[in-house]
Amino acid sequence: MSGRLFWTLRALVATAGLIPWLFAAARARPAAAIALFHGLCHQLPERTACLGGVAMLVCSRCAGIYAGVALGALIPVPQRCVPRARKLLCVAAVPLLADVILQAAGAMPILHATRLTTGALAGWLASALLFAALRVERVSASDVPTGKERGVNPGVPSPISRDGGA
Amino acid sequence: MPFDSARPRGRIGRPLLYQPSHAKAPVNEELSSPVPLPSAPPAGLGRFKKHIVLGAVFGGLLSSIPLLNCLNFFFCLLNMAGIALALSMYFKANPNDRATNGEAALFGTLAGAGAGLIAGVLGWLLGILLAGAMAGLMASLADKLPPQFAQQMAMQGTMNLVMIPVQIVLFAGFGALGGFLSLILFFKDKLRT
């Protein structure tokens, strides 16, 4: 993956994660945005955090996930975590699922803090692992020597090639 | 004279000084014959083209179905499911091919952007249809459609259209995650390192 593509993807993921927060920062709740996010989140008022007296477009858990995804594009995990990506994702999913189950069962009150934190952890880890993996690929791709570095002259056909041997 | 074992020998053991013409011929023939080489899988994202479109259609259509789209409440699940389905179809069709994390992420980004476009356009069309039905209902209840209502409906339609690029960015961003997560969670053996 080229450097430009890598940075474009990073910007895209960060922007996608920031969208509901940008609406919240602008204290805007246009009907079309509510309709758009209604397809992505239940938007129940008791589970939605308010910023500056205006309810966000998504619930607090989704807001956490979005924030985490944006943060992961900016702060990736160390590259040595990439081989353990599956385990780490499972570990990050445990508090999220525990929070979902406990709140749905009524064993725990609906707390925006836990919803935000557990969502942000899962979102951050998924996004951060993606960009760490892409960085590992970029580093390993730049380690492979090019033809010039190997001392191969691209203008002269190799003696073992089909054309050169005939 | 040192013994030269590499040279071909005659009946009395002396090395032959000439090379018979037929000895070399098969080698040249073999080299110059147009033997088709086994076709290597095409490199680059172009090989995913068909399945990216499939992923976009799956994700876009699933996200547009009214009650089913509740599954999107968890991490854009339908969008990601569309991408995972398209990836699995690709690997089924090309069992020997592998993909890097970057390729999977780009696959997901493009399929997600397509899904966002399809879901956005379908949502906009559905909105127009619903607004038309509402306007008809209002007009049948009252003699004349209130001008504010008609204005609001028109504005809603325009805003839905403006939101399509936002939806594309949203779905593309989560699509990148979907492609990457699908590869590492479901197709780990297909990962090219």
Side-chain angles (χ1 to χ4, degrees), chain B residues 52-82:
Chain B
I52 286 174
V53 174
L54 279 174
V57 171
F58 290 147
L61 288 181
L62 289 175
S63 302
S64 303
I65 298 171
L67 283 169
L68 191 70
N69 68 5
C70 293
L71 287 174
N72 263 337
F73 289 1
F74 189 74
F75 226 78
C76 252
L77 190 68
L78 289 175
N79 182 23
M80 292 198 183

Side-chain angles (χ1 to χ4, degrees), chain A residues 3 5-6 10 22 24 30 34 43 49 53 59 65 69 90 94 97-98 100 103-104 116 125 142 156 161 166:
Chain A
L5 207 55
F6 174 76
R10 247 177 130 161
L22 290 175
I34 295 171
Q43 297 176 328
C59 75
I65 291 173
V69 165
C90 291
V94 170
L97 289 175
V100 170
Q103 288 192 5
L116 267 167
L125 203 63
S142 63
V156 178
S161 72

Side-chain angles (χ1 to χ4, degrees), chain A residues 1 5 9 12 16 19 23 31-32 36 38-42 65-66 86 89 127 129-130 133-134 137 162, chain B residues 31 33 69 72-73 75 100-102 106 109 156 159-160 163 167 169-170 172 174 177 180-181 184-185 188:
Chain A
M1 180 181 277
L5 207 55
L9 197 64
L12 183 77
I19 287 172
F23 276 107
L36 165 62
H38 189 66
L40 301 171
C41 176
H42 50 71
I65 291 173
Y66 280 99
R86 279 176 92 159
L89 283 168
S127 173
L129 280 169
L130 164 66
L134 294 186
E137 274 180 18
R162 287 170 67 92
Chain B
L31 276 173
S33 64
N69 68 5
N72 263 337
F73 289 1
F75 226 78
T100 60
N101 286 317
L106 288 174
T109 306
Q156 178 75 26
M159 283 299 285
N160 282 345
M163 278 294 157
Q167 190 157 3
V169 171
L170 211 60
F174 277 85
L177 289 178
F180 167 69
L181 293 179
I184 62 163
L185 293 178
K188 203 164 188 260

Side-chain angles (χ1 to χ4, degrees), chain A residues 12-35:
Chain A
L12 183 77
V13 173
T15 310
L18 282 176
I19 287 172
W21 288 94
L22 290 175
F23 276 107
R27 295 183 188 183
R29 271 179 70 86
I34 295 171

Side-chain angles (χ1 to χ4, degrees), chain A residues 68 99 115:
Chain A
D99 191 49
R115 291 170 68 89

Side-chain angles (χ1 to χ4, degrees), chain A residues 162 165-166, chain B residues 21-34:
Chain A
R162 287 170 67 92
Chain B
S21 60
H22 58 83
K24 226 177 180 181
V27 179
N28 279 342
E29 212 170 78
E30 198 179 301
L31 276 173
S32 57
S33 64

